[in-house]
């Protein structure tokens, strides 16, 4: 089965062709055109600007997707498109394009929830644990059934969502915890803005934090006499771990962002200091990682998952991937799964992969109805995961 995936929910115009054979999903092509540079000027995504860019890019991205996969439209069996949640002006470009193609090419069409896509990014990869270097960036073939067993506890960490989801079987979602305010990615983006690091904030903060990767390095820094005025303050940066001890599996990141803001206001002159910025990034990132790991382990103690999974843009964070892996290895009989970093951030292979599992679960009459979806598929900025 050959599936065309389309994703335009935020600031990435993405299309992908995913081939299924005997239950194995192989990514033939995954093209992502990012608008990050364009939105950086505004410090975040501007919906109407995103829409205009999607409109400009969607056809070239589709052309490249078919070219790279060496496939022609008649060969596809199914079209899948993100129909929510997301920015309506952005989503509409993807859904209108998908509906038009489904009509013209006479193909069945499925609308996919963006977060369901992130979860199923874990099923297109040769899944391994911990280090990025172990993951090839694209064209991976794997047996989705090989390593992932239910129940799965999935931590979704993206720009718009932070949720702990329990899956007892495919396509079955119970949200056991979520953020009460900002999403983890949103916090990365806002703190990056405070520190003058631009948009998107996650990769920028991770890069600065990596300059102070170990406590050993920090000791070396504090002994550096030429930096003594700064290092004295650097070693004092201590941000809170919000809700780490709360008696539930919810999160809150807005207070952490405010704490980072107050910290910088104490010494605005330090914002010019590269080492101070690195130290702030390191402490902020570590706070997010500590909370995410602690809450997930707490939920694992209650739900006893066989697999703990990461998904969403923040799961591209190397420190999170690595420290999470170490933490999960302390749990008996629980495996750790995470997507390749190229499938952590928004892409369309994940949408096609989720569509495969949806399709497999549908009755013949439901599959027939999907041929009518070019007419009836709706776009919903607040689409619920069900
Ligand atoms: O899933 P995603 O690509 O889009 C949404 O669905 O929101 O996630 C985007 C978020 C942004 O907030 C971005 O700053 C964050 O993921 N992100 C990261 C990293 N790469 C992307 N956060 C931390 N570390 C990273 N390496
Ligand atoms: Zn996303």
């Amino acid at each position: 089965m050959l599936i065309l995936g389309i994703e335009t929910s935020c600031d990435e115009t993405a299309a992908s062709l995913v081939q299924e054979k005997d239950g194995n999903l192989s990514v033939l092509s995954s093209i992502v055109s990012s608008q990050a540079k364009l939105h950086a000027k505004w410090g975040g995504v501007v919906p109407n600007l995103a829409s205009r860019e999607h409109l400009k890019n969607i056809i070239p991205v589709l052309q490249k997707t078919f070219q790279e996969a060496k496939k022609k439209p008649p060969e596809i069996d199914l079209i899948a498109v993100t129909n929510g949640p997301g920015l309506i002006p952005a989503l509409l470009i993807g859904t209108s394009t998908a509906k038009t193609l489904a009509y013209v090419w006479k193909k069945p069409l499925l609308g996919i929830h963006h977060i369901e896509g992130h979860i199923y990014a874990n099923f297109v990869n040769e899944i391994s644990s911990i280090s990025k270097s172990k993951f090839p960036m694209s064209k991976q073939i794997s047996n989705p059934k090989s390593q992932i067993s239910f129940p799965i506890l999935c931590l979704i960490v993206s720009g718009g969502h932070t949720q702990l989801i329990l899956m007892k079987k495919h396509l079955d979602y119970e949200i056991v915890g979520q953020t009460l305010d900002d999403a983890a990615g949103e916090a990365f983006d806002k703190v990056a803005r405070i520190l003058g690091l631009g948009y998107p904030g996650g990769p920028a903060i991770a890069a600065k934090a990596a300059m102070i990767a170990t406590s050993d390095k920090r000791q070396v820094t504090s002994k550096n006499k030429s930096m003594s005025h700064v290092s004295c303050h650097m070693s004092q940066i201590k941000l809170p771990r919000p809700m780490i001890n709360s008696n539930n599996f919810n999160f809150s990141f807005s207070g952490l962002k405010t704490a980072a803001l107050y910290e910088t206001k104490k010494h605005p002159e330090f914002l010019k200091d590269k080492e101070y910025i690195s130290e702030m990034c390191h402490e902020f990132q570590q706070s997010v990682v500590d909370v995410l790991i602690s809450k997930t382990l707490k939920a694992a103690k209650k739900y006893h998952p066989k697999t703990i999974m990461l998904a969403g843009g923040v799961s591209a964070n190397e420190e999170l991937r690595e420290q999470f892996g170490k933490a999960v290895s302390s749990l008996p009989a629980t495996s750790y799964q995470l997507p390749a970093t190229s499938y952590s951030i928004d892409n369309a292979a994940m949408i096609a992969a989720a569509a495969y599992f949806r399709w497999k679960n549908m009755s013949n009459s439901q599959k027939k109805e999907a041929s009518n979806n070019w007419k009836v598929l709706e776009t919903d900025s607040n689409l619920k995961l069900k």
Side-chain angles (χ1 to χ4, degrees):
M1 171 170 205
L2 184 64
I3 307 170
L4 170 66
I6 297 175
E7 153 68 44
T8 65
S9 66
C10 192
D11 60 345
E12 259 98 30
T13 316
S16 172
L17 279 165
V18 170
Q19 179 103 60
E20 176 272 333
K21 210 166 175 233
D22 302 327
N24 295 337
L25 295 177
S26 158
V27 181
L28 303 186
S29 59
S30 176
I31 307 296
V32 180
S33 167
S34 174
Q35 309 169 6
K37 274 194 194 139
L38 182 81
H39 297 285
K41 269 186 255 162
W42 310 95
V45 182
V46 183
N48 284 348
L49 214 55
S51 176
R52 208 168 63 188
E53 284 300 297
H54 284 312
L55 191 57
K56 201 163 82 189
N57 295 331
I58 187 78
I59 300 298
V61 163
L62 280 161
Q63 278 177 326
K64 208 164 168 210
T65 302
F66 278 96
Q67 266 164 19
E68 203 166 278
K70 298 191 174 58
K71 294 285 179 191
K72 296 265 181 279
E75 294 174 83
I76 63 174
D77 300 292
L78 175 64
I79 300 175
V81 64
T82 308
N83 66 328
L87 307 169
I88 275 288
L91 284 164
L92 282 173
I93 304 300
T95 51
S96 309
T97 306
K99 287 167 90 165
T100 308
L101 295 179
Y103 169 69
V104 175
W105 293 342
K106 296 186 173 47
K107 303 289 178 188
L109 171 66
L110 290 185
I112 297 294
H113 192 287
H114 183 75
I115 296 302
E116 183 165 81
H118 274 304
I119 293 170
Y120 279 92
N122 278 284
F123 290 80
V124 294
N125 300 328
E126 185 74 67
I127 295 156
S128 179
S129 60
I130 306 178
S131 157
K132 176 185 167 190
S133 57
K134 290 184 187 152
F135 301 115
M137 289 302 278
S138 64
K139 304 196 180 188
Q140 295 149 29
I141 301 171
S142 74
N143 178 356
K145 286 171 281 184
S146 64
Q147 294 182 47
I148 302 175
S149 25
F150 293 94
I152 296 170
L153 182 63
C154 185
L155 175 68
I156 312 283
V157 271
S158 71
H161 291 76
T162 300
Q163 293 180 321
L164 267 169
I165 296 181
L166 183 68
M167 291 174 68
K168 292 190 179 133
K169 55 182 174 69
H170 276 300
L171 312 173
D172 176 66
Y173 310 107
E174 184 189 341
I175 298 170
V176 298
Q178 59 191 326
T179 182
L180 303 178
D181 40 56
D182 292 354
E186 197 179 348
F188 268 94
D189 294 337
K190 286 178 175 170
V191 170
R193 203 182 311 169
I194 292 168
L195 298 176
L197 298 177
Y199 172 86
I205 287 190
K208 295 283 178 201
M211 293 174 182
I212 306 180
T214 63
S215 54
D216 287 357
K217 267 196 206 161
R218 270 200 278 182
Q219 275 163 20
V220 171
T221 308
S222 63
K223 281 178 196 152
N224 182 339
K225 294 240 165 60
S226 66
M227 291 299 298
S228 59
H229 67 291
V230 176
S231 44
C232 157
H233 293 282
M234 283 196 304
S235 56
Q236 284 171 17
I237 298 177
K238 190 76 195 142
L239 296 174
R241 271 58 178 159
M243 290 183 73
I244 200 161
N245 295 317
S246 70
N247 211 12
N248 53 42
F249 312 123
N250 290 332
F251 306 88
S252 164
F253 292 109
S254 125
L256 176 60
K257 166 204 69 193
T258 310
L261 177 67
Y262 285 163
E263 185 61 45
T264 57
K265 283 199 164 160
K266 276 194 229 162
H267 303 287
E269 71 278 13
F270 285 178
L271 282 173
K272 292 193 197 90
D273 192 294
K274 282 185 187 156
E275 293 201 32
Y276 172 80
I277 297 284
S278 295
E279 185 72 18
M280 271 294 285
C281 290
H282 184 275
E283 174 61 8
F284 165 77
Q285 176 176 271
Q286 193 56 48
S287 167
V288 176
V289 169
D290 286 348
V291 173
L292 293 175
I293 291 177
S294 162
K295 289 283 172 159
T296 308
L297 292 193
K298 196 180 266 186
K301 283 202 179 100
K302 175 164 179 189
Y303 296 105
H304 306 290
K306 290 212 174 104
T307 307
I308 289 184
M309 211 179 239
L310 281 183
V314 181
S315 73
N317 185 280
E318 280 302 311
E319 278 301 314
L320 180 67
R321 293 164 83 87
E322 200 151 332
Q323 293 185 36
F324 220 92
K326 279 185 194 141
V328 175
S329 67
S330 70
L331 300 174
T334 308
S335 67
Y336 174 49
Q337 311 291 350
L338 72 179
T341 49
S342 48
Y343 301 135
S344 287
I345 47 179
D346 286 352
N347 67 89
M350 68 185 199
I351 302 303
Y356 163 68
F357 286 93
R358 284 257 157 220
W359 186 256
K360 207 170 80 156
N361 212 36
M362 283 162 63
S363 65
N364 283 341
S365 70
Q366 285 172 323
K367 285 180 180 169
K368 229 173 171 179
E369 272 172 36
S371 298
N372 236 10
N373 270 348
W374 65 267
K375 243 189 261 177
V376 297
L377 183 75
E378 289 184 353
T379 309
D380 182 352
S381 62
N382 289 313
L383 192 67
K384 296 281 167 271
L385 187 63
K386 42 181 195 286

